[in-house]
Amino acid sequence: YFTTLDLRAELAELYGRLAVSKAELARQAGISEVYLHQVFSGRRKPSRDRLLCICLGLEATLDEVQKLLKQAGYAQLYPKNKREAIIAHGIIHGTALAEINDKLFTEDEKTLF
């Protein structure tokens, strides 16, 4: 319960600094609005990859992403893993989710969605 509460609070805080609607955030994160609302309300716990997509939509820093992954009970990004290094690089450089997915695909790695 506390993990979900912490995750919801952290997501809400990150969302609060953006000047976009939740519909736009859902689009940027590559997920449906319904799913996003369920995550923000605590009715659904996102998978690790979906949480990473939401973090990318929220323009979270690498430190913020690592904190959210830990709060959700997932392993933090491990840069010695090729797939995770590509994701971390994209987060650090503010790369769009679609571009990160393209890079993962060209490197024969599992895409985020």
Side-chain angles (χ1 to χ4, degrees), residues 49 83 87 100-102 104-106 109-113:
D49 282 353
R83 178 179 187 262
I87 295 167
I100 293 172
N101 268 342
D102 288 345
L104 289 168
F105 182 78
T106 59
E109 297 290 334
K110 181 180 174 278
T111 59
L112 286 167
F113 66 86

Side-chain angles (χ1 to χ4, degrees), residues 53-65:
C53 290
I54 293 169
C55 289
L56 286 162
L58 288 169
E59 301 171 7
T61 66
L62 184 58
D63 288 341
E64 292 166 338
V65 171

